[in-house]
Amino acid sequence: MNPVYLRYELLRTFRNRRYVLFAILIPVALYFATAGPSRGESDLAGTGISAPLYFMVGLAAFGGMNAVVSIGGRIAAERSVGWTRQLRLTPLSTRGYFRAKVATAYALALVTLGVLYFSGSTLGVRLPAGEWLRMTGLILIGLVPFVALGIFLGHILTAESTGPAIGGITALFALLGGTWFPIQNGVMHDIAEALPSYWLVQASHVSLGGPGWTGLGWFVVAAWTVALGALAARAYRRDTQRI
Amino acid sequence: MASLDSVETFVRTQREQIDASVEARGLVKTYRSGARIVRAVDGVDVSIARGETVALLGPNGAGKSTTIDLLLGLLEPDAGEASLFGGPPQEAVAAGRIGSMLQTGSLIRDLDVQELVEMMASVYPHPLCVEDTLRQARIEELADRRTQTLSGGETQRVRFALALVSDPDLLVLDEPTVGMDVEARRAFWTTMRQGAAHGRTVLFATHYMDEADTYADRAILMAHGKVVAAAPTTEIKGLVGTRTIRATLSDADDADLGALEGVLQMERHGDVVVLNCSDSDRAIRALLDHYPEARDIEIASAGLEDAFVLLTSDGNGAS
């Protein structure tokens, strides 16, 4: 790992205030909009789960996904000014390039999760330290395929199309994966189980007393990671044309 | 003796390969434009010795940028082969021996100029230090500026610094002075002369004849994807620094007109003859001496583009 390169990649990401604010503010705003009015609800639909906790973990999954996929927009913007082609003429390897992008994506996701957790605590969410950590750890693993998705989209889309494309794809994954509405059974459940967003939601539900991931969960996340990672690497290698 | 000749040829070929920093044979690149297939680069040979400064000269759309993309390994040729320092372009790039400034491009935002230079220095094995880079590119005064606040000309100078930061053996600049005013262009080339190019092989693309003329040892002329001439710049100037004489003249033998003093080539469009001249002063005197009836005479300097079109349309192939 090249620490200087990584430091500047992170520095310039967090200096872009509008970008960082939107990556973080949207999930936080959604959180207060949903959990705020029902902050006194301590037994949501007879489950024994409080509304602020329920919405916090849901938005942790969504916010984390939103943050890591959004680096696709940054990549598309870099490509549009010819920066990616410039990088191709340096010794920076595909691996080195990916490391820096992955680290940036995770830095954003961690900040987003931190702000959401803090917001949750202001609405009275209290969890044992072990549960915070288990949930966060599993969410971070569950984000891996979405980091690859962000890099992939960044290298195949133009800067103008990333906004709607990334927003739409993220929303679709969130919806089908059960971020907004629980998916209990039926065909939709079978579909959901094959999606990485479903397991991201399951990761966040660890703190609601959920079981975490089954063998199928680990397999689905690994398979999406391999597939999207390969697509992203291929897209980066082929991305040498003038645009 | 034949065997001795072949040994000599062998030795010469080996030597050329060792001395060459850029070597390309028969490069072809086509792309699809609607239903048409365009040969952007059509059988280009390039050979540049170490330490040489070579201009890739041609009008817009001549295939200069595509040729550079092929030489740098950014594009795979449909046919032919390019090598840098005797190996694949990607190897020279991975070794950090190439400094480049591509034609289209800007900078990533949210970093100071010196931060960006330091960031890029970190990916090379033997970079210059940031101060030296800024000094060589003469942008010390831009060090603390955020990249997104730079003007077009300033951006170009920072991009030039990024090409220098690796302390490259080969510097490839694709129209480096695009977007600069006359003053900035002059300053840029002064910077190059005062050491930025010292001991380096330089290949730069331009459509300004004067840049090639004053700066390069040699020029490779391209038009319509082909190399139309490769020669020292002094000779190139003779080829393209031409004027045309246009006159209405019906009763004259074309061959005689073409043989007039100072005339390189002639073309006839009905009654109108167009003489492409190496020396239009002598040509006009000779024309009027022999054909006093010539009328509607116009003398114009042929732009690079015209000269190139003339060179190619005449089937004046690769030299």
Side-chain angles (χ1 to χ4, degrees), chain A residues 98-118:
Chain A
F98 270 54
R99 275 192 196 130
K101 291 298 177 206
V102 170
T104 311
Y106 270 106
L108 271 169
L110 280 171
V111 172
T112 306
L113 292 181
V115 174
L116 274 167
Y117 292 170
F118 175 76

Side-chain angles (χ1 to χ4, degrees), chain A residues 160-242:
Chain A
E160 295 79 24
S161 59
T162 48
I166 287 176
I169 290 171
T170 312
L172 203 61
F173 264 118
L175 185 71
L176 295 177
T179 309
W180 306 125
F181 313 104
I183 298 170
Q184 305 294 0
N185 42 39
V187 183
M188 289 312 286
H189 185 258
D190 294 343
I191 294 173
E193 274 195 329
L195 295 177
S197 47
Y198 175 81
W199 297 102
L200 197 58
V201 173
Q202 298 311 305
S204 72
H205 284 186
V206 161
S207 57
L208 307 181
W213 290 356
T214 60
L216 177 67
W218 287 98
F219 173 76
V220 167
V221 171
W224 278 86
T225 299
V226 169
L228 288 169
L231 284 174
R234 198 175 106 106
Y236 176 68
R237 280 197 212 100
R238 291 166 59 115
D239 191 10
T240 61
Q241 312 260 337
R242 275 172 269 160

Side-chain angles (χ1 to χ4, degrees), chain B:
Chain B
M1 294 317 278
S3 64
L4 195 60
D5 279 352
S6 64
V7 168
E8 259 176 42
T9 312
F10 175 75
V11 170
R12 202 179 312 128
T13 320
Q14 290 294 304
R15 259 191 63 83
E16 273 167 9
Q17 278 174 1
I18 292 164
D19 287 345
S21 47
V22 179
E23 190 70 50
R25 290 272 163 269
L27 292 179
V28 174
K29 187 70 191 178
T30 56
Y31 64 91
R32 197 175 285 277
S33 167
R36 284 188 322 136
I37 290 179
V38 181
R39 288 173 91 83
V41 172
D42 192 3
V44 165
D45 297 336
V46 177
S47 180
I48 301 173
R50 292 202 186 182
E52 242 189 328
T53 296
V54 173
L56 195 54
L57 189 61
N60 290 327
K64 304 189 295 291
S65 291
T66 307
T67 301
I68 284 179
D69 282 1
L70 292 168
L71 292 177
L72 292 174
L74 281 175
L75 288 178
E76 276 299 310
D78 297 334
E81 204 181 2
S83 71
L84 300 178
F85 302 107
Q90 289 82 359
E91 257 174 41
V93 166
R97 301 183 72 178
I98 313 300
S100 63
M101 185 172 166
L102 298 172
Q103 187 186 9
T104 49
S106 187
L107 302 166
I108 46 174
R109 40 174 296 140
D110 298 313
L111 287 177
D112 294 348
V113 168
Q114 60 182 348
E115 291 172 338
L116 181 62
V117 171
E118 194 187 341
M119 179 185 186
M120 295 320 292
S122 77
V123 306
Y124 290 102
H126 310 291
L128 296 174
C129 69
V130 174
E131 297 79 62
D132 284 351
T133 309
L134 297 184
R135 193 172 52 242
Q136 280 199 22
R138 293 212 197 169
I139 53 167
E140 291 110 318
E141 79 279 8
L142 300 178
D144 296 325
R145 293 267 301 277
R146 282 287 158 84
T147 50
Q148 66 264 34
T149 66
L150 301 172
S151 73
E154 288 167 344
T155 299
Q156 286 295 90
R157 286 156 69 202
V158 174
R159 294 181 66 226
F160 179 56
L162 295 180
L164 290 176
V165 71
S166 62
D167 194 13
D169 296 326
L170 171 65
L171 200 49
V172 178
L173 312 168
D174 193 354
E175 308 213 7
T177 57
V178 154
M180 293 186 189
D181 56 28
V182 178
E183 200 62 32
R185 272 177 62 198
R186 194 174 299 136
F188 174 83
W189 289 111
T190 308
T191 308
M192 283 290 286
R193 247 195 307 266
Q194 289 178 346
H198 185 74
R200 293 185 176 123
T201 308
V202 180
L203 172 65
F204 70 91
T206 182
H207 57 256
Y208 296 117
M209 180 66 215
D210 61 320
E211 289 189 346
D213 183 37
T214 52
Y215 194 68
D217 304 322
R218 208 154 59 81
I220 297 171
L221 258 75
M222 283 191 75
H224 307 302
K226 288 189 161 74
V227 172
V228 291
T233 40
T234 43
E235 288 176 31
I236 298 284
K237 214 181 167 192
L239 272 174
V240 299
T242 56
R243 292 195 174 151
T244 55
I245 298 173
R246 178 184 286 267
T248 306
L249 184 61
S250 43
D251 299 325
D253 182 68
D254 290 359
D256 288 348
L257 280 171
L260 285 176
E261 219 183 340
V263 174
L264 289 173
Q265 281 167 326
M266 77 81 59
E267 262 177 81
R268 178 181 284 283
H269 308 286
D271 280 351
V272 176
V273 294
V274 179
L275 307 175
N276 187 46
C277 309
S278 56
D279 185 339
S280 57
D281 296 342
R282 281 154 74 184
I284 187 68
R285 283 190 203 106
L287 178 72
L288 291 173
D289 276 354
H290 291 84
Y291 307 97
E293 72 276 21
R295 59 199 162 77
D296 302 333
I297 297 171
E298 289 172 26
I299 302 180
S301 65
L304 260 188
E305 193 130 0
D306 299 339
F308 290 154
V309 169
L310 210 68
L311 282 167
T312 38
S313 63
D314 222 48
N316 213 332
S319 59

Side-chain angles (χ1 to χ4, degrees), chain A:
Chain A
M1 187 57 114
N2 176 337
V4 178
Y5 186 83
L6 179 62
R7 179 160 63 88
Y8 284 125
E9 182 82 33
L10 289 172
L11 183 65
R12 70 182 206 85
T13 304
F14 283 92
R15 270 187 188 160
N16 193 331
R17 290 208 195 95
R18 261 172 285 190
Y19 169 68
V20 173
L21 279 180
F22 277 107
I24 296 168
L25 271 189
I26 292 197
V28 170
L30 281 171
Y31 178 60
F32 282 107
T34 49
S38 54
R39 57 181 303 173
E41 179 68 77
S42 60
D43 185 13
L44 205 60
T47 54
I49 297 162
S50 78
L53 174 63
Y54 181 81
F55 288 119
M56 184 190 80
V57 300
L59 279 157
F62 172 75
M65 178 167 74
N66 192 49
V68 298
V69 180
S70 75
I71 62 160
R74 295 180 60 79
I75 291 173
E78 289 166 22
R79 286 169 63 227
S80 72
V81 297
W83 189 253
T84 309
R85 269 162 60 80
Q86 188 71 46
L87 287 181
R88 305 311 293 261
L89 297 174
T90 73
L92 183 68
S93 61
T94 305
R95 198 176 286 259
Y97 173 81
F98 270 54
R99 275 192 196 130
K101 291 298 177 206
V102 170
T104 311
Y106 270 106
L108 271 169
L110 280 171
V111 172
T112 306
L113 292 181
V115 174
L116 274 167
Y117 292 170
F118 175 76
S119 306
S121 75
T122 65
L123 295 187
V125 173
R126 296 291 178 271
L127 286 174
E131 281 199 7
W132 285 116
L133 287 177
R134 255 189 65 194
M135 167 174 72
T136 308
L138 213 49
I139 287 178
L140 293 183
I141 297 171
L143 287 177
V144 177
F146 292 101
V147 177
L149 176 66
I151 297 175
F152 173 58
L153 292 177
H155 282 289
I156 58 165
L157 297 174
T158 59
E160 295 79 24
S161 59
T162 48
I166 287 176
I169 290 171
T170 312
L172 203 61
F173 264 118
L175 185 71
L176 295 177
T179 309
W180 306 125
F181 313 104
I183 298 170
Q184 305 294 0
N185 42 39
V187 183
M188 289 312 286
H189 185 258
D190 294 343
I191 294 173
E193 274 195 329
L195 295 177
S197 47
Y198 175 81
W199 297 102
L200 197 58
V201 173
Q202 298 311 305
S204 72
H205 284 186
V206 161
S207 57
L208 307 181
W213 290 356
T214 60
L216 177 67
W218 287 98
F219 173 76
V220 167
V221 171
W224 278 86
T225 299
V226 169
L228 288 169
L231 284 174
R234 198 175 106 106
Y236 176 68
R237 280 197 212 100
R238 291 166 59 115
D239 191 10
T240 61
Q241 312 260 337
R242 275 172 269 160
I243 50 170

